[in-house]
Amino acid sequence: MIRRLYRTPIPEGSFRSTGETARSELAKLSALTGSGSVENTGTSPGELTLQVQYRGQYAGRLALELAELLHSDAFTALPYAPESGSAEDDGYYSAESVSPGRIRPQTDRAVNVDATLARDGTPGDSIQGVATSQAQVANDFGSDQTTHIGIPASASMVRWWDGTAGIEWPAPIDTHTAEFGTLEIYDVDASSFSDPTLLYKPASLDAIGDVDVGVWDTYGASSKTDSNGVVQWQRVFSPQHDPRGAIVLENGILRLTLNDVDETLTAEFWTGYGGGGYGDGDYGESTWDTIDLPASNWAPVDVDVRHISPARLEARILWSDGSQRYPLDAILTRGADKVLFARTPNATSATPSTLVDYLDQIASTTIYDAGERQTLVARDEVSQ
């Protein structure tokens, strides 16, 4: 049976019972090659002990990716379940301890990651939620007053919750199709609650994460996959990650590749997302198509990723046209087809008009940030 911890696959046929442990040989992590084991040796109910070993070309980045995920404060209550069906240890887990290290100090082609996980909940006692904290930002790319969030279209029992007993049943205002799934878009302002939480029941534990935002380190490779079709970029889960190549910000609909060494920006959109508005792309092909940004002297000279979570990512990008520099905060959220570029809190001037012209095609026009945060809510806290 194939299992996943968040987006981490565990291949079929890899479990064997020894009477004391259940062991799994991992063939890959997030579609990257490697090998290892997962051992269910928890000493108390609801505890899962992982003993993972990666070998081969991408072993070092595999281990770093898993360690970042398990160390992350924003990626807690990680779903662990088979791709189909169910198992007795299905549930949401958070790391209590993580211990990465090389098997041989002189090489990174064989790396261990050991971790102890504690169960936070199960599908029977917990539900997913997106908490909001609406805030106005200084956006020189528009003046719309909309606040939207996205969740998987496969979700059910979708309702607004005010954190106590209040419940409202909303309808989605739009549908967007991302690379790995479809999302429904909800209007936060349609709720009568202040900073409501959007509760929903996911279609399955395994499906969680397929349409989330993501940050990638290219490790200098122009393509996500190598010549064998194996993913060679590393998924990044830590804002403190030291990039080995360009940084990619994406949500399955919009993808920005930012190289602050070569000072280049490449913007792409998923042609099948259903929103239109990105030029002459074939919207029926469902492929990544380059967005034709206007010629400009502006380029990214520093990319500082500051927050990575399932529902949103934030980065501060310093732009330069050779004679002046200007920082912008970039916020990309789940289901969005544009980036919210906002002035930084200490900005003393408006965004230069030539920089606005350069980024306008990929920039959101709203002046509101939903401040969304993925959360897990106990069912007995909700009245309906």
Side-chain angles (χ1 to χ4, degrees):
M1 130 185 352
I2 303 175
R3 301 186 184 214
R4 293 206 305 181
L5 178 67
Y6 188 54
R7 294 171 61 90
T8 303
I10 301 174
E12 185 176 8
S14 59
F15 282 91
R16 59 182 171 84
S17 175
T18 64
E20 297 177 355
T21 65
R23 182 175 298 273
S24 167
E25 297 298 323
L26 270 91
K28 55 187 178 177
L29 171 65
S30 297
L32 298 174
T33 59
S35 63
S37 64
V38 175
E39 195 170 352
N40 188 353
T41 59
T43 57
S44 62
E47 188 176 272
L48 185 69
T49 300
L50 305 182
Q51 295 179 332
V52 183
Q53 182 183 113
Y54 297 109
R55 295 180 180 271
Q57 181 178 3
Y58 301 127
R61 68 190 71 174
L62 286 167
L64 180 58
E65 179 173 325
L66 180 57
E68 286 184 355
L69 173 62
L70 294 173
H71 275 297
S72 174
D73 292 332
F75 286 85
T76 57
L78 300 169
Y80 177 70
E83 285 190 344
S84 61
S86 61
E88 62 181 20
D89 55 0
D90 286 1
Y92 299 98
Y93 291 83
S94 293
E96 289 189 331
S97 63
V98 185
S99 177
R102 296 181 182 180
I103 298 173
R104 296 180 179 178
Q106 65 271 28
T107 179
D108 63 355
R109 294 178 67 89
V111 187
N112 283 335
V113 179
D114 298 341
T116 300
L117 309 182
R119 186 152 63 185
D120 295 326
T122 69
D125 61 27
S126 305
I127 50 178
Q128 291 284 312
V130 181
T132 64
S133 180
Q134 188 182 63
Q136 186 171 341
V137 299
N139 182 3
D140 296 313
F141 295 83
S143 58
D144 291 343
Q145 299 182 27
T146 56
T147 314
H148 299 160
I149 61 175
I151 64 171
S154 58
S156 60
M157 295 293 292
V158 180
R159 64 266 204 207
W160 292 115
W161 179 53
D162 69 352
T164 55
I167 290 289
E168 294 176 343
W169 299 89
I173 61 169
D174 205 352
T175 300
H176 288 167
T177 299
E179 183 177 11
F180 296 113
T182 301
L183 302 102
E184 289 183 335
I185 310 301
Y186 288 84
D187 183 1
V188 177
D189 297 321
S191 171
S192 66
F193 303 141
S194 177
D195 292 336
T197 296
L198 190 64
L199 301 177
Y200 62 94
K201 178 181 178 181
S204 67
L205 286 181
D206 176 71
I208 296 174
D210 288 345
V211 294
D212 288 355
V213 300
V215 178
W216 298 84
D217 181 347
T218 68
Y219 276 74
S222 59
S223 172
K224 181 186 284 189
T225 57
D226 63 16
S227 58
N228 296 316
V230 177
V231 174
Q232 58 187 336
W233 293 355
Q234 183 206 319
R235 183 76 178 260
V236 175
F237 293 102
S238 170
Q240 288 74 46
H241 176 87
D242 183 20
R244 281 71 166 175
I247 286 293
V248 178
L249 313 178
E250 61 92 9
N251 66 353
I253 296 172
L254 183 64
R255 184 163 71 184
L256 304 184
T257 302
L258 297 133
N259 190 324
D260 56 12
V261 176
D262 296 339
E263 300 183 2
T264 58
L265 163 67
T266 301
E268 301 166 280
F269 74 103
W270 186 249
T271 57
Y273 88 97
Y278 277 125
D280 297 328
D282 185 344
Y283 291 91
E285 288 297 316
S286 295
T287 59
W288 287 104
D289 198 6
T290 301
I291 299 170
D292 293 326
L293 300 177
S296 177
N297 291 327
W298 287 99
V301 295
D302 185 65
V303 180
D304 180 12
V305 178
R306 300 196 165 190
H307 176 78
I308 308 170
S309 65
R312 64 186 280 128
L313 61 86
E314 303 170 19
R316 181 161 294 177
I317 305 172
L318 181 63
W319 303 87
S320 175
D321 68 353
S323 62
Q324 60 180 324
R325 296 185 177 189
Y326 194 88
L328 282 172
D329 285 337
I331 302 169
L332 183 62
T333 60
R334 183 169 53 203
D337 57 4
K338 300 289 177 71
V339 180
L340 178 56
F341 289 111
R343 296 185 210 170
T344 62
N346 296 323
T348 58
S349 63
T351 309
S353 60
T354 49
L355 181 55
V356 171
D357 291 341
Y358 178 50
L359 299 175
D360 184 67
Q361 196 172 356
I362 59 173
S364 172
T365 57
T366 185
I367 60 171
Y368 287 110
D369 173 19
E372 54 267 79
R373 177 177 58 86
Q374 195 70 31
T375 186
L376 192 68
V377 177
R379 284 179 176 269
D380 59 11
E381 293 183 24
V382 184
S383 61
Q384 299 182 49

